[in-house]
Amino acid sequence: TSCAVNTFSIAGSGSCTGCAAGSTSAAGATVCDVCAAGSAVVAGSCTQCVAGTYSLAGSTECTQCAANSYSASAGASTCTSCPGGLTSAAGSDSSDDCEVCSAGNAVISGSCTQCDAGTYSVAGSTECTSCAVNTFSIAGSGSCTGCAAGSTSAAGATVCDVCAAGSAVIAGSCTQCVAGTYSLAGSTECTQCAANSYSASAGASTCSACAAGSTTQAATGSDSSDDCEVQCRCFDLQCLRCR
């Protein structure tokens, strides 16, 4: 008696042996044939895998292409990876399924992932980039925003910090005002003390008024109480310098 489909026998056999998984045979076969790569045993016969799937030789089923890859035609033995910066869902059957990650996202660990606050990305990126000094970003940003006047930030910042009173943004960083000047919080420059006032130390947020009856003689930017001089008084048309 002939062996049935998907079985075989050698000469002198008392029975037929079933084909191993992933192989098939016609009736009366002496050997079984392994299903070729790109096909699998489906309903007892080698069947070509459809687009979006693949198989190795001797497979019992076709496997979906993993995320970020595709197979565009039936009978694929492998899937093709999407180009860098592009992603696709599992089982993709066309290169058109590979899409660019939008700005504010990047391909990380094989999928489009939102960039953290303090970073940004342009469309099609494979990594998120830290914001530069004096800029910041929220999560999912396509660019970083410059700090407002009078504030600064370190690289990779999520917020900017306002310069404290007594300092100002100079050359891109909060810098303490020198004696003879002052500033309010969030200043972009230090202001000279007005006439008849002074600041004796660096980092002043206000200037101190000269004592009553003394003056800086219209000079501005005084850095010591010694700059406040008592006004001259005249006696018999001769002015005497008093301190």
Side-chain angles (χ1 to χ4, degrees):
T1 301
S2 291
C3 288
V5 171
N6 294 333
T7 67
F8 73 101
S9 71
I10 59 175
S13 295
S15 63
C16 298
T17 303
C19 291
S23 60
T24 62
S25 70
T30 59
V31 293
C32 295
D33 298 314
V34 173
C35 280
S39 61
V41 178
V42 179
S45 63
C46 287
T47 303
Q48 195 174 55
C49 295
V50 299
T53 67
Y54 75 101
S55 75
L56 304 178
S59 295
T60 57
E61 62 182 359
C62 298
T63 303
Q64 273 196 334
C65 289
N68 307 324
S69 66
Y70 65 94
S71 64
S73 57
S77 59
T78 60
C79 297
T80 302
S81 296
C82 291
L86 306 183
T87 63
S88 69
S92 294
D93 59 6
S94 170
S95 59
D96 293 338
D97 294 331
C98 296
E99 299 178 341
V100 173
C101 262
S102 60
N105 299 273
V107 180
I108 299 173
S109 298
S111 61
C112 275
T113 303
Q114 188 181 65
C115 292
D116 292 334
T119 68
Y120 74 99
S121 73
V122 297
S125 295
T126 56
E127 63 181 0
C128 299
T129 303
S130 288
C131 291
V133 170
N134 295 332
T135 67
F136 73 100
S137 75
I138 60 174
S141 294
S143 62
C144 297
T145 303
C147 291
S151 61
T152 63
S153 72
T158 59
V159 294
C160 296
D161 299 314
V162 174
C163 276
S167 62
V169 178
I170 299 173
S173 62
C174 287
T175 304
Q176 194 174 57
C177 294
V178 298
T181 67
Y182 75 100
S183 75
L184 303 178
S187 295
T188 56
E189 62 182 0
C190 298
T191 303
Q192 279 195 331
C193 290
N196 304 326
S197 67
Y198 65 94
S199 64
S201 59
S205 58
T206 60
C207 296
S208 300
C210 288
S214 62
T215 177
T216 60
Q217 303 295 334
T220 59
S222 294
D223 60 7
S224 170
S225 60
D226 292 341
D227 294 332
C228 297
E229 299 178 346
V230 176
Q231 294 178 353
C232 292
R233 294 180 181 179
C234 296
F235 300 92
D236 297 330
L237 302 180
Q238 183 177 7
C239 289
L240 301 177
R241 183 178 178 84
C242 301
R243 292 188 69 88

